[in-house]
Amino acid sequence: MNPLDYAASSRQRFLDQLFEFLRYPSISTLPEHKTDVANAADWLASHLRSIGMQTVECVPTDGHPIVYAEWLGANGPTLLFYGHYDVQPVDPLDQWQTPPFEPTLRDGKIYARGATDDKGQVWLVISAIESWLRSVGHLPCNVKLLIEGEEEIGSTHLGTFIRAYQQRLACDAVLVCDTAMFAPDIPSLVYGLRGLAYVEVHVRGPRRDLHSGSYGGAVVNPANALAAMIAALHDEHGRVAVPGFYDAVLPLSEQERQLLAALPFDEEAYRQELDVPALGGEEGYSVLERIGARPTLDVNGMWSGFTGTGAKTVLPATAHAKISMRLVPEQQPDQIAQQVARFLEQCAPAGVRVQVQTLHGAEPVLVDRTSPPMMAAARALEQSFGRAPVYQREGGSIPVVTTFVREFGVPVVLMGFGLHTDGAHSPNEHFHLANFHRGTDAVIYFFEELARGASFSPC
Ligand code: BES
Ligand code: MN
Ligand code: MN
């Protein structure tokens, strides 16, 4: 039997096993789920042993464990696959049609937290490996798997692991399946990811909440102050007003603008799907440019004062916001966080104290679109989807990718099978069954194409 037939005849079992994986509430950011995260890692490791991976380790870290596995029986190149088994929190829970950790198949989609980001995509790679090992008995290339449990919280302890395992992680190429396709039938290779700088702002006023009648007018209200500070972060052209913010940004070349403009993107359909009266953003750039190639600043959450039902006349003592910046090459997360912090401190009115705390960050990255592994991926996608992939830049971040590019110095392939409408990080996250199957086949092909090497010239 060949691996494709093996995969085709194992579909139901692959799905059942993915459902088992999805049942672990491996929410990395919530301390109360620490054991669930560890159990998901143990379960994953034992599954990898059962499909014939030669070495499997569940490596403890100061945070959540890392699952590392190897199959090195091929006389060919070595591929390192990176993915994550941790997931985002599920709130608002009442908006889920079925519970987030009770995976359900509905209308050809797998509904569960982690279905598309990233357990479902990790699963199709593992299924592709099993398909090779259990049908022909070997893989065309060596594979190493690095599946972490802290991607959604900034890959805090991955750096230490990578340094400790440096030699064992040696490879010729890296594969990451944690991005989206351009559209339902259009496979994509992603060549850029944005970076991230995340800060939390605390504005403190009087020592306690006050009667807004007795004191209002005499005391600076921290909520008013924070609102004004946040408003000052953008100018009237949708640009970030923080001095120096754009200094390191690599401008888009005319050629890249043309390539992005040629993608079959429908702004009006995009607007309608989001149900917004108009799209917004930086003047002078298209939606795809704004998402992939321009930096942004967004409030992720803000809280202050009374938010219950009805009215309470109160002047709150404090106000808080979480603000993140998406970055593009060559912006540096630390530097950007500092610039934003300084700006917020400077534009705070007298009468409040401001403290800005930096949370995690990620560096932006661009990968070589013409590397032999990228070309192998293009051929694999073409065989599985029946059409050539498009090349796109993504707005999201995967912190470790820059380490692979810069420190490992090997080509990275970002070949994902999600869709932006899959609801990653949102209620009712799902993964299209069709993409799960086509993705499995694409990875089956990819192993072979990678081993076959660069016998392909890009168009
Ligand atoms: N899979 C996403 C990254 C992603 C998002 C790629 C959208 C392509 C399109 C990943 O799991 C993720 O959510 N990353 C975080 C990183 C952060 C927590 C450091 C992100 O982008 O917010
Ligand atoms: Mn992900
Ligand atoms: Mn994510």
Side-chain angles (χ1 to χ4, degrees):
M1 200 192 265
N2 73 40
L4 292 165
D5 292 337
Y6 182 95
S9 60
S10 309
R11 284 182 168 186
Q12 187 57 47
R13 183 172 49 81
F14 288 159
L15 189 64
D16 292 342
Q17 289 168 332
L18 170 58
F19 275 27
E20 253 186 87
F21 191 25
L22 289 168
R23 282 191 192 101
Y24 290 91
S26 50
I27 306 172
S28 49
T29 197
L30 299 178
E32 62 268 34
H33 283 287
K34 195 168 171 57
T35 313
D36 297 316
V37 179
N39 289 342
D42 282 340
W43 182 85
L44 180 60
S46 59
H47 179 78
L48 290 172
R49 281 182 203 108
S50 80
I51 64 162
M53 292 300 289
Q54 293 162 333
T55 320
V56 182
E57 294 173 38
C58 191
V59 185
T61 71
D62 287 342
H64 300 302
I66 290 168
V67 177
Y68 178 70
E70 294 173 343
W71 186 90
L72 304 177
N75 180 20
T78 299
L79 176 71
L80 174 65
F81 169 74
Y82 165 82
H84 63 96
Y85 68 87
D86 66 321
V87 300
Q88 288 276 340
V90 298
D91 56 283
L93 188 58
D94 60 351
Q95 288 183 24
W96 286 78
Q97 281 181 35
T98 47
F101 298 109
E102 290 174 27
T104 312
L105 195 62
R106 197 161 65 234
D107 309 327
K109 296 167 212 150
I110 304 157
Y111 282 85
R113 170 58 87 227
T116 187
D117 184 14
D118 182 33
K119 286 174 173 169
Q121 303 209 53
V122 165
W123 207 253
L124 64 86
V125 173
I126 293 173
S127 302
I129 292 172
E130 181 193 318
S131 299
W132 273 100
L133 291 179
R134 292 279 178 247
S135 61
V136 295
H138 62 267
L139 281 152
C141 58
N142 299 309
V143 291
K144 298 177 175 179
L145 306 179
L146 168 49
I147 304 169
E148 71 152 320
E150 297 190 325
E151 195 274 345
E152 300 290 10
I153 49 173
S155 300
T156 328
H157 299 96
L158 188 56
T160 310
F161 169 85
I162 287 179
R163 277 187 291 281
Y165 273 64
Q166 201 167 5
Q167 267 148 26
R168 290 183 66 188
L169 292 171
C171 59
D172 301 296
V174 173
L175 171 68
V176 181
C177 300
D178 193 22
T179 49
M181 305 197 305
F182 187 78
D185 291 310
I186 308 186
S188 319
L189 288 169
V190 168
Y191 66 94
L193 291 167
R194 286 198 288 191
L196 187 72
Y198 206 118
V199 299
E200 210 171 276
V201 191
H202 305 284
V203 179
R204 294 176 216 286
R207 67 168 74 244
R208 59 178 182 278
D209 282 8
L210 302 172
H211 190 294
S212 68
S214 310
Y215 292 92
V219 176
V220 177
N221 179 328
N224 296 10
L226 179 59
M229 289 156 60
I230 289 172
L233 287 166
H234 286 94
D235 70 12
E236 68 276 25
H237 306 293
R239 281 173 64 89
V240 176
V242 176
F245 187 78
Y246 293 95
D247 286 359
V249 171
L250 286 185
L252 271 162
S253 70
E254 209 35 59
Q255 187 211 12
E256 197 180 347
R257 295 195 88 163
Q258 278 166 17
L259 287 170
L260 290 175
L263 293 173
F265 184 74
D266 181 343
E267 284 198 9
E268 178 53 18
Y270 183 78
R271 184 193 69 74
Q272 279 181 19
E273 196 277 321
L274 294 173
D275 191 24
V276 288
L279 296 172
E282 190 184 358
E283 269 176 26
Y285 294 92
S286 70
V287 168
L288 291 181
E289 290 172 345
R290 287 171 179 170
I291 293 171
R294 296 298 295 170
T296 52
L297 181 153
D298 277 291
V299 175
N300 299 102
M302 51 205 290
W303 64 103
S304 176
F306 179 68
T307 56
T309 314
K312 178 189 181 195
T313 45
V314 64
L315 194 160
T318 64
H320 314 264
K322 290 178 188 279
I323 299 178
S324 68
M325 287 68 71
R326 292 285 171 176
L327 313 179
V328 300
E330 305 283 338
Q331 288 177 302
Q332 288 297 320
D334 293 346
Q335 197 183 359
I336 294 290
Q338 255 183 38
Q339 287 171 351
V340 171
R342 209 172 309 134
F343 181 80
L344 286 167
E345 283 156 10
Q346 279 166 6
C347 66
V352 294
R353 296 178 186 88
V354 176
Q355 187 205 351
V356 184
Q357 188 188 342
T358 300
L359 304 182
H360 57 228
E363 288 188 38
V365 70
L366 286 170
V367 306
D368 180 3
R369 313 155 51 132
T370 61
S371 68
M374 272 292 240
M375 292 186 240
R379 295 194 297 274
L381 287 171
E382 182 150 9
Q383 290 172 83
S384 174
F385 284 79
R387 62 154 289 168
V390 299
Y391 293 80
Q392 68 174 122
R393 285 208 201 187
E394 275 282 17
S397 314
I398 305 176
V400 74
V401 173
T402 162
T403 308
F404 296 142
V405 172
R406 259 211 322 243
E407 288 167 39
F408 287 37
V410 296
V412 176
V413 173
L414 299 164
M415 176 170 72
F417 302 100
L419 288 171
H420 285 128
T421 49
D422 280 352
H425 299 199
S426 301
N428 304 308
E429 176 177 349
H430 56 269
F431 192 26
H432 288 253
L433 201 52
N435 292 337
F436 178 63
H437 296 319
R438 291 191 293 194
T440 308
D441 289 355
V443 176
I444 289 174
Y445 285 120
F446 179 64
F447 294 141
E448 196 161 49
E449 292 297 338
L450 184 76
R452 202 134 51 103
S455 57
F456 175 85
S457 52
C459 47

